[in-house]
Amino acid sequence: MKKKYIILFFVIILLIIFAICYYNTSNFGNNISVNNENKVVDYILNINDYEAEIEVTVESNKTTNIYELKQCVSGDSSSLEVLSKGKIGGLKIEFKDKTLKVQNTELKLDKIYENYEPLVDNLLFLNTFIKCFKESDSTTYMEGNFIVFEIPRVAKLYVDMKDSKPTKLEIKDNTKKTNICINYNSIEIK
């Protein structure tokens, strides 16, 4: 009879140890492991080429403007196309080999600038944000189901933990108030 109790006691102890180990290494509900977070951070910080459809909200003192845009970045070339209708609808900007080409497809106007600085050297582009993030005193932290990549007083990038894709980029102005918000409607990372 004592042998049965001793064996039962050891089985219960082993089950408890197994449950504790399994709980610490699994990913249930909101228990996000540090390992998964590090994988997402490494993945985002190594993005070079991508194609995205975005909604850009620009807030000034008096107005709020919303634009639907398409961004493509591949190596040293980049493009930005305005998909929404309005004053700048049909505008397409391409940069490749130090040449900037500005087109308005609706008005059939083209302008080419030689020896131009890269188009992606502003925070509207994801790879520029990543470059600035790496070069500055930046932080990452969890906020709900998102990893937030923050360049203090400049910008924040929200990345969904489920699919490791950027969802929103907030860019602040000189007064540290968010004045540009980019929502990534779709993004294909290459």
Side-chain angles (χ1 to χ4, degrees):
M1 191 77 164
K2 279 187 171 182
K3 285 184 182 178
K4 288 182 182 179
Y5 287 118
I6 292 173
I7 292 173
L8 181 63
F9 177 74
F10 281 117
V11 168
I12 292 172
I13 295 294
L14 288 174
L15 286 173
I16 291 172
I17 291 171
F18 175 76
I20 290 171
C21 291
Y22 184 74
Y23 177 79
N24 287 336
T25 60
S26 65
N27 188 10
F28 284 98
N30 291 329
N31 302 324
I32 300 170
S33 71
V34 172
N35 194 22
N36 285 343
E37 184 178 340
N38 289 338
K39 286 180 183 178
V40 172
V41 170
D42 289 342
Y43 175 71
I44 294 298
L45 293 180
N46 289 304
I47 293 175
N48 293 314
D49 300 343
Y50 70 95
E51 188 172 313
E53 289 192 12
I54 60 176
E55 179 183 88
V56 180
T57 305
V58 181
E59 292 185 27
S60 66
N61 291 340
K62 298 178 182 177
T63 62
T64 299
N65 295 307
I66 300 173
Y67 305 100
E68 296 289 329
L69 306 173
K70 182 176 181 180
Q71 291 179 337
C72 296
V73 176
S74 180
D76 291 337
S77 66
S78 59
S79 68
L80 179 70
E81 182 179 356
V82 178
L83 302 175
S84 54
K85 303 291 183 196
K87 293 179 183 178
I88 62 170
L91 181 68
K92 189 171 185 178
I93 303 169
E94 295 176 342
F95 178 79
K96 186 175 184 179
D97 300 326
K98 292 196 173 194
T99 301
L100 180 70
K101 183 177 182 181
V102 180
Q103 296 176 292
N104 188 319
T105 55
E106 291 183 8
L107 299 176
K108 296 181 177 37
L109 297 173
D110 290 352
K111 184 74 176 172
I112 297 175
Y113 301 93
E114 299 290 333
N115 296 320
Y116 202 81
E117 291 301 311
L119 176 64
V120 294
D121 281 349
N122 65 60
L123 288 178
L124 290 176
F125 286 86
L126 181 60
N127 54 340
T128 302
F129 172 85
I130 292 168
K131 180 182 172 189
C132 291
F133 182 87
K134 289 178 181 179
E135 294 172 352
S136 64
D137 187 23
S138 307
T139 59
T140 60
Y141 55 90
M142 293 296 299
E143 192 174 292
N145 291 327
F146 298 97
I147 297 178
V148 180
F149 294 74
E150 182 175 12
I151 303 171
R153 298 176 303 280
V154 177
K156 288 183 185 181
L157 175 68
Y158 293 82
V159 177
D160 193 335
M161 277 293 295
K162 293 176 187 167
D163 60 7
S164 302
K165 291 190 176 182
T167 57
K168 180 170 62 170
L169 175 60
E170 295 177 344
I171 303 170
K172 299 179 181 184
D173 63 9
N174 295 344
T175 64
K176 297 164 192 72
K177 179 182 166 192
T178 300
N179 71 335
I180 298 175
C181 183
I182 299 171
N183 290 312
Y184 292 91
N185 296 335
S186 69
I187 184 166
E188 180 185 334
I189 298 168
K190 300 174 184 178

